[in-house]
Amino acid sequence: ADADGKFGLGRAALPEEVAAWNVDVSPDGTGLPEGSGDVWTGESVFEENCASCHGSFAEGVGNWPKLAGGDGTLDHDDPLKTVGSYWPYLSTVWDYVHRSMPFGAAQTLTPDEVYAITAYILYSNDLVDDDFELSNENFAEFEMPNADGFIVDDRAETEYTQWRSEPCMENCKESVEITMRATVLDVTPDEGGAEGS
Amino acid sequence: MTTEKKGMSASRRQFLTGAAAVGAGTVAATVARAAEPDPLITEVQEWASSFGDGVDATPYGLPIKYEDDVIRRNVEWLTADTISSINFTPIHALDGTITPTGCAFERHHSGAIELKKEDYRLMINGLVDTPMVFSYEDLERFPRENHVYFCECAANTGMEWAGAQLNGAQFTHGMIHNMEYSGIPVRTLLNEAGWNGEVEGKWLYVEGADASSNGRSIPLEKALDDCLVAIKANGEALRKEHGYPARLVVPGWEGNMWVKWIRRMEITDGPIESREETSKYTDTLADGTSRKWTWVMDAKSVVTSPSPQMPITHGHGPLVITGMAWTGHGRITRVDVSKDGGKTWETARLAADAGNKALVRFYLDTEWNGEEMFLQSRAMDETGYVQPTKAQLREVRGLNSIYHNNCIQTWWVKPNGEAENVEVS
């Protein structure tokens, strides 16, 4: 290693290489390519590429993820967490769809198609009107409903302070009653079930 | 040699006279006397006479067929398909701390990809002096370190939030493995690209080569502290399903951040807030707000035997209660075991000194005479943190946080030796 601790290994990345792989998009829109797409275009692109799993209205098919709905359910017993009800940033939608969807054929959508799909998902969540067009220009203006719904990990204050004490060793409780049994549910696979079975 | 022979004859005499049970101070330790000579001893067995396999029979071996239940298992109803899914390490059947790589759990978001070393590239870009590309060969030429760490999925035990669901330690606690990694410190690689040295407020965005990419934002401070780009696990190349040929190791932190098939690291001014740190791996509280960036895995333990998949079949008398404990905050200092659902606790024996952010094995050697037990284990770590009950966790978080369930587990051991996953008051 030299004086800076460098070993002289590897090589400089070319601009084309960085551009090919560095496609992440930050909440403020940094990383977005130029482009645009409207709700109606999005509907047809979504129908062709996405609806077989996510439903024509982004409502989800079978066990596949629901992308719309669930507004106001986050404090319910069984919250429905979707793009509209849960996701804090629109950038994540664009970034994830662009890079990792459709499932099984990722990185096949053009930037304009991703703008259009994103606009359609917003429409499916009743967050924009049907004449809405999303572009790199107006992207940063859009605020998601649950943008303020997240707090940074606070376990240090809410949990660690109360659970760092010498624990009870004897006569810790009066009685012990069974309150729940797994065999009542009976959802465990039979023994011998191998991976992929 | 003489001493050994004397010892043997003494114990044989005790066996013949039934004297072993006398004076031992235990009620159950009656040594059985065989009615008939055992033909496995008195008759010459096949394996004691003819040949076994030659050394060329198995260039790379698998476990003997009699251990064919010690395998990963899948729970079909948990996910929509097997590609973005999870399977489970057979922790109930393992001992010690090192997880055999062939049965160490898998979690993929777009399947286990095949990426050969020749095709492998690692890019470093963002706020660096020179964006760089490394080949696998380059990686092998950097100074390496070896460390043993646990990798626990953030969702381990997640199905148990609402109640006792899955009947076996493999299913309730098996999204974990513990391996010895050989790898290059991330700081070494970042230094090669050069940056202005600013750490405060800076982040490292890391992504994989697979279609899901699994991008995660890590504070630069953590990345520089102890994160590794690992190229070996348990002495050999990473298994395909564990990120071959290179993965990120993020000691003590949730498994999702251990990006497999790592292809890019980018120093950024802020977190990317990717899908895997907004939609997923955020923990919803009872009031509907959600915690984000819950990176550390807190102190946790589980009794692996007896457990639902490991019933007591040997009858009354000596019983080994064993399990494992771990903490993302450093080292486990103590594990207590209760046989009565938490009324009373005994401190278990740690098999070896606990490693940093690694599994430790514990044992409680006891006597069992058919009494019903409610087995629990409770880990403590070097920060003084005591593993909480599920009730304590629910008190703070409610029922919907999905991830980070490190509650005390209860196994109900019945008089017939069977065990069941239960919750107790």
Side-chain angles (χ1 to χ4, degrees), chain B residues 274-295:
Chain B
S274 72
R275 188 252 196 180
E276 307 297 332
E277 56 206 22
T278 54
S279 170
K280 307 297 174 190
Y281 307 100
T282 50
D283 316 346
T284 301
L285 303 169
D287 68 0
T289 62
S290 304
R291 288 173 175 162
K292 66 175 182 178
W293 306 344
T294 47
W295 299 309

Side-chain angles (χ1 to χ4, degrees), chain B residues 200-321:
Chain B
E200 184 76 26
K202 301 298 175 203
W203 295 70
L204 192 70
Y205 184 68
V206 184
E207 67 178 12
D210 62 317
S212 83
S213 105
N214 198 53
R216 287 294 306 253
S217 307
I218 300 171
L220 190 53
E221 189 181 13
K222 171 68 175 178
L224 294 167
D225 176 28
D226 60 0
C227 292
L228 300 172
V229 171
I231 55 175
K232 298 284 164 69
N234 293 346
E236 62 180 358
L238 299 174
R239 293 294 172 103
K240 175 177 86 170
E241 61 270 31
H242 297 139
Y244 180 92
R247 85 173 305 168
L248 192 68
V249 166
V250 191
W253 287 22
E254 61 187 13
N256 178 256
M257 308 177 84
W258 294 47
V259 176
K260 295 185 287 190
W261 314 289
I262 181 173
R263 83 168 190 187
R264 195 170 67 92
M265 299 193 285
E266 176 187 7
I267 300 182
T268 60
D269 275 321
I272 298 299
E273 300 279 10
S274 72
R275 188 252 196 180
E276 307 297 332
E277 56 206 22
T278 54
S279 170
K280 307 297 174 190
Y281 307 100
T282 50
D283 316 346
T284 301
L285 303 169
D287 68 0
T289 62
S290 304
R291 288 173 175 162
K292 66 175 182 178
W293 306 344
T294 47
W295 299 309
V296 180
M297 302 306 293
D298 292 326
K300 186 167 173 178
S301 68
V302 65
V303 171
T304 51
S305 181
S307 66
Q309 295 158 289
M310 297 291 281
I312 303 171
T313 56
H314 55 54
H316 300 174
L319 170 70
V320 174
I321 297 172

Side-chain angles (χ1 to χ4, degrees), chain B residues 351-397:
Chain B
D353 289 342
N356 179 35
K357 297 161 187 155
L359 290 190
V360 66
R361 171 67 44 182
F362 66 84
Y363 295 105
L364 186 73
D365 307 298
T366 190
E367 291 278 329
W368 179 72
N369 291 302
E371 67 275 22
E372 177 179 79
M373 293 190 287
F374 292 100
L375 283 182
Q376 299 183 336
S377 63
R378 180 177 68 191
M380 292 173 66
D381 72 23
E382 62 183 328
T383 70
Y385 177 94
V386 182
Q387 184 183 357
T389 63
K390 204 187 281 187
Q392 285 176 298
L393 285 169
R394 285 175 179 158
E395 178 98 1
V396 178
R397 305 184 195 171

